[in-house]
Amino acid sequence: MPLIARIYRRGITSSRPLINNVFNIQTSCLYSTLPPNARLNIPTDYSTTPLLAHNSQSALQNPELSPEVRNGTTKRMNLFQSINDALSISLAEDDSVILFGEDVAFGGVFRCSMKLAENYGSERVFNTPLSEQGIVGFAIGAAAEGMKAVAEIQFADYVYPAFDQLVNEAAKFRYRDGAEGRHVGGLTVRMPCGGVGHGALYHSQSPESLFTHIPGLRVIMPRSPIQAKGLLLSAIASGDPCVFMEPKVLYRAAVEQVPTASYTLPLSKAEILKEGKDLTIISYGHPLYICSAAIEKAEKDFGISIELIDLRTVYPWDKECVLKSVQKTGRCLVVHESMVNAGIGAEVAASIQEDKETFLRLEAPVMRVAGWSIHMGLLFERFNIPDVARVYDKIKQAVEY
Amino acid sequence: MKTSLPRLVRNHRPTTFLRILTHSPRWSSSLSQRPGAAGVTFPGAVNSKFTSALTFEHPSTYPAIPTYRCTSPDGHLIDSTILPCPDALALAMYENMISVSIMDLIMFDAQRQGRLSFYMTSQGEEGTCVGSASALEKGDVVFSQYREAGVFVQRGYKLSDFMAQLFANRRDGGKGRNMPVHYGSKELNIHTISSPLATQIPQAAGAAYALKMQRLQNPDLPPRVVACYFGEGAASEGDFHAALNIAATRSCPVIFICRNNGYAISTPTLEQYRGDGIASRGTGYGIDTIRVDGNDIFAVREATLKARELALKDGGRPVLIEAMSYRISHHSTSDDSFAYRARVEVEDWKRRDNPITRLRKYLENKALWDDEREAEARTRIRRDVLKAFGDAEKELKPPLRAMFEDVYEEMTPEIRAQMGELREILDTYPAEYDVGEFEGGKDSLEK
């Protein structure tokens, strides 16, 4: 990994106030200003978004939680804190859990592993040399011998050196071992992903569709602190190797009441965030907030009702839930941050048109809003990542078709 | 983002800076050098002395790492300090080596006759594999590359196991999914072989760390190590570098065993590296290292016994063994090695120095072996191989269902639906597919 990248990371994440203040002021002046008269593309207000549980009651009413959890308490956490909470719970619950990666021991460059080395010992939470193929290879070996190995890749942009280990080894381990029965189900690879406003080419990528092409891996992306905790605990407990992608823009921004108990959320199950009857929007991770804002405007402007589905696990994904919704609404839009070409949207759209029953119900072409098929140039991020205006416009096109 | 700027700044307030200062060992250990100090105290090389001589370290000025040998080519023990190998074990190792070589000859020919899709022999490297495996405990975990049949035999993999895998029949532990020679056995603690080179090396480090952690958490467990085999060509992969480095920094009880046989397919070592083989790299990673004569089974065994002891010392550490040998065989059945090396060179190695004849001489010197026993053993093993061969070839293939299973712990709805689609195709076009050799025919594809 280039030195410049390492310095740059400190810029995003360092707890040193001087660097941070300078950094943020500069970035907001240079890159993040918005036109004063914008009606659609206004920044997400995470304190009011309906996608987050702003009080204990809404956090605990989730029917996916067990009665014990629902009768428990909650705590205000942002995404990195809920991930830290999940990691802490899994280390406490199971001696076989080990956690490692670059700079994990001091708390991680995004603070996800804060205090874990202190609390669970340097044998279980430790730094590795700076080598992604080494980290994942090491994790596979540990998992193959019965450990639950939670490996961190510092940025999803740097997972490619470990691609061979993930694709040829982790994904195929159970299959090739056959009746011998060994597997690396204990493997979870965490990686921060997605745009953060100024991450440019190598601190913004979302390579999930490269992994959804690989049978044997489960690819998960949470949208909120509650989800991050429940899905990460499920990924660690899962008998399959999991790629767990954390939208880093939400690490500090998304704050909600999170159940303090240990709980899991189902993998490969989508969640209907909002019911509707005229159009279905399918997304996952950070763009859900964009979709939610666009839905609010579009419903008002066009007098329609829109269903919003969070895939949560992007592979193997919950096809049944999506098909059922589109059969009901007849119109469909897939939204993701990563490039449109051969992205998740392509798979979802193809599956919708391929399903005989759903095809007959379609009243408009399946549409996609996603990153353009380009790289993430520093200055151009907000013209590249799907925003409210682009989602709103596609809703309009679908409705008017 | 003018409205949210104050929030962003507030969110980035330091919460842990002071804690980092007091808790991170690196901060406190990186004192800069004192005036007049003889040595540098850069954190990256704490024991380095200053010098005013502008001198580069030239690899050529370092002598090559010596090759440990304890048996002479005529089968006499040179090193009198080693504990004599029990006669029964020496005889078993000899039979295991000739078993591999006899199986190799038969299976190579079987492939040539088209009865097998692929094969790789290990002629010339039987000593490295059998000798090192004899020094391991049953619970030790093995990762291999693909030319380690001797390790499998020595650990108890049966001829019927080899044949089931080679013919991918229903008795194959791999359920007919892997190419021939990609053996594996949970019972024997040998991980299933995969084709991508060197991927097993960092895995071995991680596995060794797992064994170490498990024993830390439960001291009643017996001490175990991981042995990891690879060729000198695979050592050029990035995974080799990653593995040795991480094994050293995490003090993993793993023995890296490099089979340096002079060739990676057609590439001679001169085009593989310019340093002193693989062994010279070990010390660079801070790893205890030895080079041994791979044609001397006792040297390999002794070095591995000692390496195992070292690997478990003081909480664990990696050890590197570079076993020198010569790849007498072609790389695989898809390779004609006379396209890139002289037949005479191969013949020379085959006759002048190979692990089997050296151990045979040792056994003959001790009156444990003679021509009669040799003939009997070869006849018996050949008969056993052919019997296992015939049985395996006649056996049914695994059920077609095995094609869809084990991708995930449980079959996903998508895979289940695709299995149904294949079933429908087989029902609709029965003449287009031959499913008779698969156990249960197409009925195994029932959802």
Side-chain angles (χ1 to χ4, degrees):
Chain A
M1 189 177 313
L3 177 66
I4 188 78
R6 289 178 62 75
I7 295 166
Y8 182 63
R9 276 191 307 234
R10 307 266 173 213
I12 299 175
T13 61
S14 167
S15 32
R16 295 174 71 174
L18 183 67
I19 293 176
N20 249 326
N21 287 352
V22 171
F23 194 78
N24 280 325
I25 289 162
Q26 280 183 345
T27 52
S28 38
C29 292
L30 284 174
Y31 313 130
S32 298
T33 48
L34 288 159
N37 298 324
R39 186 177 83 92
L40 299 168
N41 282 340
I42 53 178
T44 306
D45 184 353
Y46 291 98
S47 65
T48 57
T49 172
L51 299 192
L52 294 168
H54 301 292
N55 55 54
S56 292
Q57 207 190 348
S58 56
L60 295 172
Q61 71 190 10
N62 183 350
E64 287 178 339
L65 301 174
S66 70
E68 300 88 76
V69 176
R70 294 173 70 181
N71 287 328
T73 55
T74 63
K75 196 180 161 201
R76 229 174 104 81
M77 292 182 204
N78 64 26
L79 192 93
F80 84 65
Q81 288 163 334
S82 79
I83 283 165
N84 181 265
D85 190 35
L87 295 172
S88 182
I89 287 171
S90 59
L91 283 159
E93 279 179 350
D94 187 347
D95 280 348
S96 68
V97 173
I98 51 174
L99 182 72
F100 49 90
E102 295 158 15
D103 306 301
V104 163
F106 88 109
V109 297
F110 288 111
R111 320 315 283 139
C112 291
S113 50
M114 255 168 74
K115 290 217 174 187
L116 299 180
E118 282 166 71
N119 292 341
Y120 299 99
S122 58
E123 289 87 12
R124 296 183 65 199
V125 181
F126 53 88
N127 289 340
T128 63
L130 209 162
S131 166
E132 285 75 15
Q133 64 198 97
I135 291 168
V136 175
F138 187 90
I140 290 170
E145 284 304 317
M147 302 302 279
K148 294 215 166 80
V150 184
E152 178 179 302
I153 299 296
Q154 205 158 60
F155 282 80
D157 311 60
Y158 305 125
V159 72
Y160 308 116
F163 206 58
D164 183 37
Q165 284 285 354
L166 280 165
V167 173
N168 275 329
E169 299 290 320
K172 297 173 174 57
F173 208 100
R174 184 191 293 277
Y175 194 75
R176 73 178 185 226
D177 212 50
E180 300 298 319
R182 287 165 295 188
H183 59 87
V184 293
L187 173 71
T188 305
V189 183
R190 297 176 40 240
M191 58 189 85
C193 68
V196 71
H198 44 261
L201 283 78
Y202 305 112
H203 296 84
S204 305
Q205 298 178 35
S206 294
E208 63 271 15
S209 64
L210 295 176
F211 295 113
T212 61
H213 194 59
I214 313 303
L217 298 178
R218 285 192 192 272
V219 188
I220 303 148
M221 195 188 294
R223 69 155 197 280
S224 74
I226 292 179
Q227 263 196 5
K229 179 174 170 179
L231 292 174
L232 181 53
L233 283 169
S234 291
I236 294 170
S238 158
D240 298 312
C242 294
V243 173
F244 193 83
M245 304 180 66
E246 302 164 5
K248 59 182 161 304
V249 71
L250 299 176
Y251 272 141
R252 287 163 194 273
V255 182
E256 67 182 332
Q257 292 290 337
V258 178
T260 47
S262 173
Y263 65 92
T264 56
L265 292 171
L267 301 181
S268 294
K269 275 265 175 258
E271 183 185 0
I272 299 173
L273 296 179
K274 180 187 166 306
E275 306 230 357
K277 55 180 179 44
D278 301 310
L279 183 143
T280 303
I281 298 186
I282 298 136
S283 188
Y284 54 92
H286 176 248
L288 285 161
Y289 295 91
I290 302 298
C291 295
S292 178
I295 287 170
E296 204 186 306
K297 294 279 191 276
E299 285 189 337
K300 214 172 283 173
D301 293 357
F302 311 131
I304 54 168
S305 87
I306 297 173
E307 185 145 305
L308 181 59
I309 294 179
D310 178 359
L311 283 181
R312 300 196 283 193
T313 299
V314 291
Y315 195 79
W317 60 290
D318 190 351
K319 203 180 281 187
E320 198 189 331
C321 172
V322 169
L323 294 182
K324 223 172 114 189
S325 173
V326 179
Q327 281 171 25
K328 179 177 73 176
T329 62
R331 291 182 166 85
C332 172
L333 180 57
V334 193
V335 183
H336 55 76
E337 194 174 307
S338 59
M339 293 79 84
V340 68
N341 52 300
I344 303 295
E347 178 65 20
V348 172
S351 299
I352 288 169
Q353 80 79 29
E354 193 179 44
D355 186 74
K356 290 171 189 129
E357 221 170 304
T358 319
F359 177 71
L360 289 174
R361 309 280 178 103
L362 282 179
E363 292 172 42
V366 179
M367 296 181 184
R368 292 181 284 174
V369 183
W372 309 120
S373 302
I374 56 170
H375 308 297
M376 189 78 89
L378 177 71
L379 288 179
F380 314 114
E381 179 175 317
R382 68 186 204 81
F383 300 98
N384 185 16
I385 289 184
D387 58 14
V388 180
R390 282 174 60 193
V391 176
Y392 177 92
D393 184 64
K394 271 286 192 303
I395 294 172
K396 190 162 174 271
Q397 287 182 34
V399 173
E400 290 172 353
Y401 180 79
Chain B
M1 206 181 272
K2 55 182 183 246
T3 50
S4 61
L5 174 61
R7 259 187 73 203
L8 269 174
V9 173
R10 192 168 59 244
N11 283 346
H12 283 78
R13 279 259 166 82
T15 52
T16 55
F17 186 57
L18 286 175
R19 213 166 292 129
I20 294 160
L21 262 180
T22 47
H23 284 274
S24 163
R26 185 146 294 239
W27 282 83
S28 52
S29 65
S30 300
L31 299 171
S32 68
Q33 70 213 30
R34 292 184 182 81
V40 190
T41 50
F42 294 120
V46 287
N47 292 324
S48 173
K49 299 273 178 273
F50 284 123
T51 175
S52 55
L54 176 58
T55 319
F56 287 86
E57 301 298 323
H58 299 293
S60 57
T61 59
Y62 291 88
I65 292 171
T67 303
Y68 171 65
R69 148 184 294 198
C70 60
T71 321
S72 67
D74 56 4
H76 291 289
L77 286 181
I78 306 161
D79 181 351
S80 55
T81 65
I82 69 158
L83 288 173
C85 171
D87 289 345
L89 177 62
L91 285 164
M93 291 199 297
Y94 183 72
E95 285 214 6
N96 286 342
M97 282 202 289
I98 57 173
S99 288
V100 172
S101 85
I102 291 167
M103 182 175 74
D104 275 351
L105 288 173
I106 292 172
M107 300 321 289
F108 191 86
D109 288 347
Q111 195 283 333
R112 286 289 186 255
Q113 293 167 14
R115 295 166 79 175
L116 195 65
S117 61
F118 179 76
Y119 194 73
M120 300 179 101
T121 73
S122 41
Q123 287 161 284
E125 294 172 70
E126 301 93 338
T128 302
C129 294
V130 171
S132 57
S134 80
L136 300 173
E137 297 293 324
K138 197 170 186 309
D140 292 341
V141 175
V142 173
F143 285 84
S144 39
Q145 179 168 304
Y146 49 60
R147 211 182 294 285
E148 290 89 2
V151 174
F152 282 79
V153 175
Q154 184 63 32
R155 284 176 83 85
Y157 205 63
K158 297 184 196 69
L159 283 173
S160 54
D161 300 326
F162 281 109
M163 295 302 154
Q165 201 285 329
L166 292 169
F167 286 102
N169 68 30
R170 63 175 176 161
R171 310 231 174 266
D172 168 24
K175 296 194 185 179
R177 294 165 183 158
N178 305 311
M179 277 177 82
V181 186
H182 292 51
Y183 315 115
S185 167
K186 185 179 185 185
E187 194 198 339
L188 302 176
N189 277 314
I190 312 178
H191 279 288
T192 298
I193 292 165
S194 73
S195 306
L197 286 180
T199 48
Q200 79 278 17
I201 316 178
Q203 292 172 13
Y209 194 75
L211 302 187
K212 170 177 156 159
M213 284 298 297
Q214 286 157 5
R215 192 147 184 272
L216 266 177
Q217 291 169 344
N218 179 6
D220 293 339
L221 291 173
R224 297 197 290 159
V225 301
V226 172
C228 178
Y229 295 84
F230 51 92
E232 90 286 348
S236 295
E237 293 281 2
D239 275 335
F240 167 87
H241 159 68
L244 269 71
N245 202 28
I246 201 166
T249 58
R250 293 313 301 171
S251 307
C252 304
V254 52
I255 310 172
F256 296 114
I257 303 174
C258 177
R259 299 176 288 93
N260 190 333
N261 62 18
Y263 288 91
I265 307 187
S266 73
T267 306
T269 52
L270 198 64
E271 289 163 18
Q272 198 63 249
Y273 53 73
R274 281 299 164 97
D276 178 22
I278 308 304
S280 68
R281 300 177 196 170
T283 52
Y285 290 106
I287 292 178
D288 298 344
T289 300
I290 190 169
R291 173 176 284 155
V292 302
D293 180 350
N295 291 337
D296 178 351
I297 195 165
F298 292 130
V300 175
R301 179 177 151 78
E302 285 303 308
T304 313
L305 280 170
K306 185 74 185 166
R308 193 176 183 280
E309 205 180 298
L310 276 173
L312 289 166
K313 219 169 124 183
D314 304 328
R317 71 175 77 167
V319 182
L320 172 63
I321 298 175
E322 183 183 28
M324 311 307 290
S325 66
Y326 184 86
R327 195 192 79 211
I328 291 172
S329 57
H330 299 299
H331 164 70
S332 72
T333 47
S334 312
D335 170 53
D336 173 14
S337 69
F338 300 127
Y340 49 80
R341 61 180 186 180
R343 206 175 276 265
V344 58
E345 172 189 320
V346 179
E347 286 302 314
D348 184 52
W349 277 98
K350 205 165 158 180
R351 293 183 203 300
R352 191 169 55 82
D353 194 20
N354 81 63
I356 294 178
T357 51
R358 213 190 294 188
L359 182 56
R360 182 176 170 180
K361 283 175 187 162
Y362 167 88
L363 294 173
E364 285 172 349
N365 294 343
K366 290 192 81 179
L368 293 167
W369 203 253
D370 53 35
D371 287 348
E372 198 181 322
R373 279 178 235 201
E374 177 80 10
E376 182 278 325
R378 285 190 175 270
T379 309
R380 170 169 44 85
I381 292 167
R382 198 180 147 75
R383 191 188 59 221
D384 291 349
V385 170
L386 289 173
K387 169 86 169 60
F389 180 123
D391 291 349
E393 207 178 20
K394 284 198 285 283
E395 188 59 87
L396 279 174
K397 301 298 180 201
L400 276 172
R401 187 185 183 83
M403 168 181 167
F404 292 97
E405 289 171 325
D406 300 329
V407 177
Y408 292 92
E409 188 178 21
E410 283 169 28
M411 217 183 274
T412 62
E414 180 184 27
I415 294 175
R416 212 171 274 282
Q418 291 171 356
M419 187 168 73
E421 275 189 56
L422 176 60
R423 170 68 198 248
E424 280 163 27
I425 288 286
L426 298 185
D427 283 343
T428 316
Y429 302 96
E432 306 299 322
Y433 301 92
D434 186 3
V435 297
E437 59 177 345
F438 295 92
E439 188 179 22
K442 62 185 181 182
D443 289 342
S444 76
L445 297 176
E446 220 55 70
K447 281 184 212 180

